[in-house]
Amino acid sequence: MNDFKHLKLLSEVKSNKSIKFLTPAVFKGNHCPMRIASVISKDVEGLSSLLVGMQECTTYSRLFSPNPEGKDGELHWLYVLDSHEVVFGCRQGLIDSLIKMDKSGAKAILLIVTCIPELIGEDIEGIICEIQPKLNAKVTFVMLGQFKNVSYPPGSRKTMGALGMLMDVKETDPIQINVLGRAPNEEEIPMPNILQELINQGLNLRFLAPGASLEYFQMASDARLNIVVSPYMQPLAVKMKRDFGIPYIDLHNMYDVNSIYKAYEDIADQFGLNLHDVFEEERQQALKLQNQAVERFRGLKYIFLPRVDMTISLAHYLTKLEMEPLLLHLEEYYPEDKTNAKDIISMGYNPLICRMVNPEADLPILEKLGADLYFGFSPNINNNNITYVPEIFDFYGHIGYSRTVSVLKIILKILDEKNDLNNGGTEYGITQI
């Protein structure tokens, strides 16, 4: 179809540059990734920041980090490039600013670099290597030119990864686990069962995410294992494995019951635990739903709209359950997506990949594909012929079997409602004839 000829297939997508917009609609743009970095630096107790950019960047940053000083003495300073520095670089100015921040009491500094320094090729790493021996504060940096980061996830992923540069080698604590992607004291979000059980069995869990302290991050290299519960923490897990040899287990992108069983087994083996008996009832519940899903999902065709959590991972799982992916909105193509993408293709499927930014223009085109199910969010889905699975975005706090159970229950419930309507059931108290 002409409406889709400009899009790449999954097999052709190697990076974010391969992802095209579905329609040439006017789009106001995503949040600059610098915004996310500003928020994160403000939310890590004890971490100072220096944002380097044009006046527009610094003004925008102040909307989200309005105070130059944090409540615990952190410094959140702005470095506005002048016309000379835009052309010739800002090396000396950055060195002077870092020295001043160090003398003013900064414990650690995150250098947030925006478009212009990256465009002119400013050697930020070289500047830090030169000045670090003269500072008490440790300095790390993140390059967030929006021309290289077309959506907001890199603002989180790259910033959290950069915090790994603030860690030093420490002796391993045999009962210490870092949970990457959950902050301390998140009482409003239920503790995942697997994490609570690890605590019950005597292990120490350190929770690392925005909201944790700088001290927590600096101590984190003593862990025996990292458990990743958020895609935004994956780069930090990779860096910690490379720099400190700390293995990690991903739970945020797992749905398949056997894969979860294996992950729990790996965790148990690390610490000599028995977790299978504890979670057997949960496993059986997930397995029962998964077996039902295979029968119900077989042959159904689906589309992913925006706001689908862990797009490629969930698409991989649904495809294993014999659904057929037609088209996937992909906000970001993560390096860890490549394995699942390869598996989808090996199963004989090769969906179209795109970004959707204008629901009014996108939805009429998508209907031409004849999908049975739409996952995600669109404010304009009101067509009775479309079966829509909206609550598929935020499963924060759900990992392991409970996540799988939640997802399958949502989909099966919507399919049941569709069958009821097709068979003359009721909706909102009105008999369908």
Side-chain angles (χ1 to χ4, degrees):
M1 298 182 198
N2 288 337
D3 292 315
F4 304 102
K5 65 180 181 181
H6 64 292
L7 301 181
K8 301 287 188 183
L9 297 169
L10 179 59
S11 61
E12 300 172 303
V13 174
K14 307 303 179 186
S15 69
N16 290 311
K17 293 180 180 179
S18 305
I19 306 173
K20 310 298 182 183
F21 291 102
L22 177 58
T23 57
V26 175
F27 179 45
K28 61 184 181 295
N30 283 304
H31 291 301
C32 176
M34 169 271 293
R35 171 201 174 182
I36 310 299
S38 296
V39 171
I40 289 174
S41 64
K42 176 175 64 70
D43 288 344
V44 176
E45 178 188 332
L47 178 65
S48 296
S49 65
L50 178 63
L51 187 140
V52 185
M54 302 300 291
Q55 187 172 358
E56 298 89 338
C57 303
T58 55
T59 301
Y60 184 48
S61 173
R62 274 290 178 251
L63 295 175
F64 311 105
S65 182
N67 300 313
E69 294 185 2
K71 62 181 181 179
D72 295 297
E74 303 92 347
L75 306 175
H76 298 295
W77 289 6
L78 307 174
Y79 188 101
V80 182
L81 299 165
D82 63 29
S83 57
H84 181 271
E85 290 172 317
V86 167
V87 178
F88 298 104
C90 54
R91 174 184 166 279
Q92 191 57 51
L94 288 186
I95 288 175
D96 292 343
S97 296
L98 292 170
I99 291 173
K100 188 174 181 180
M101 292 184 75
D102 185 60
K103 290 181 177 179
S104 298
K107 299 175 183 176
I109 303 168
L110 172 67
L111 201 57
I112 303 171
V113 182
T114 59
C115 290
I116 296 300
E118 193 162 6
L119 276 169
I120 65 175
E122 187 68 81
D123 184 9
I124 301 298
E125 187 171 7
I127 291 171
I128 293 175
C129 287
E130 178 182 344
I131 192 61
Q132 184 65 80
K134 304 175 184 178
L135 305 177
N136 292 314
K138 221 170 181 183
V139 182
T140 184
F141 72 101
V142 58
M143 307 294 286
L144 291 177
Q146 193 169 17
F147 65 96
K148 285 187 177 180
N149 304 284
V150 297
S151 63
Y152 56 86
S156 293
R157 289 172 62 89
K158 290 185 177 182
T159 301
M160 300 314 298
L163 296 185
M165 294 173 64
L166 303 177
M167 301 174 186
D168 293 318
V169 176
K170 295 185 180 300
E171 184 178 349
T172 300
D173 183 337
I175 60 170
Q176 182 66 57
I177 296 175
N178 292 323
V179 179
L180 306 185
R182 183 182 174 93
N185 304 317
E186 286 190 355
E187 296 177 359
E188 71 282 6
I189 306 294
M191 178 74 75
N193 293 341
I194 177 63
L195 300 184
Q196 185 59 59
E197 181 58 29
L198 293 175
I199 294 172
N200 294 344
Q201 298 214 24
L203 300 179
N204 295 330
L205 269 59
R206 179 188 296 123
F207 298 97
L208 296 176
S213 68
L214 171 64
E215 183 181 8
Y216 266 36
F217 281 97
Q218 290 176 322
M219 294 166 53
S221 60
D222 69 350
R224 186 172 174 183
L225 177 69
N226 284 331
I227 297 178
V228 186
V229 299
S230 164
Y232 301 130
M233 303 299 286
Q234 187 81 16
L236 180 58
V238 172
K239 180 172 179 56
M240 292 178 72
K241 182 177 182 180
R242 183 178 65 244
D243 293 352
F244 307 113
I246 301 174
Y248 64 89
I249 292 175
D250 297 328
L251 289 181
H252 64 285
N253 55 6
M254 250 179 225
Y255 295 93
D256 177 70
V257 175
N258 288 336
S259 297
I260 296 168
Y261 181 91
K262 178 64 167 59
Y264 284 15
E265 190 174 59
D266 290 343
I267 295 171
D269 288 347
Q270 286 273 349
F271 299 97
L273 308 176
N274 178 7
L275 296 177
H276 297 320
D277 293 343
V278 176
F279 292 103
E280 183 59 20
E281 186 175 340
E282 276 190 35
R283 189 180 78 87
Q284 289 299 329
Q285 182 189 17
L287 198 58
K288 181 179 178 180
L289 284 169
Q290 185 170 280
N291 291 335
Q292 290 177 22
V294 172
E295 297 300 317
R296 300 287 299 281
F297 293 178
R298 183 176 292 121
L300 295 179
K301 300 176 181 179
Y302 68 93
I303 287 173
F304 276 1
L305 303 167
R307 300 193 193 178
V308 173
D309 205 22
M310 297 306 302
T311 303
I312 295 295
S313 299
L314 182 56
H316 177 246
Y317 181 54
L318 295 179
T319 304
K320 285 183 70 175
L321 299 179
E322 301 187 41
M323 274 195 189
E324 179 181 350
L326 299 177
L327 179 144
L328 307 177
H329 164 88
L330 199 57
E331 189 70 39
E332 188 81 9
Y333 188 66
Y334 301 132
E336 58 268 26
D337 284 334
K338 293 179 181 179
T339 299
N340 282 334
K342 186 177 179 180
D343 284 349
I344 292 171
I345 296 163
S346 70
M347 287 186 275
Y349 301 100
N350 203 7
L352 294 163
I353 303 297
C354 72
R355 284 195 180 93
M356 302 180 204
V357 297
N358 190 326
E360 290 81 5
D362 294 336
L363 198 56
I365 293 174
L366 294 175
E367 291 185 47
K368 298 176 183 180
L369 292 175
D372 299 295
L373 285 172
Y374 289 72
F375 293 85
F377 173 79
S378 175
N380 299 297
I381 288 191
N382 53 15
N383 186 333
N384 290 331
N385 294 322
I386 290 177
T387 304
Y388 177 40
V389 186
E391 301 109 335
I392 209 76
F393 175 55
D394 192 358
F395 282 93
Y396 184 73
H398 288 268
I399 54 174
Y401 298 123
S402 65
R403 184 186 182 100
T404 300
V405 168
S406 298
V407 169
L408 293 180
K409 279 185 173 180
I410 288 170
I411 302 172
L412 289 168
K413 179 176 180 290
I414 287 173
L415 291 177
D416 287 340
E417 290 172 352
K418 180 182 179 181
N419 285 341
D420 287 344
L421 289 174
N422 290 340
N423 294 325
T426 60
E427 185 180 45
Y428 308 119
I430 301 173
T431 302
Q432 304 294 313
I433 299 175

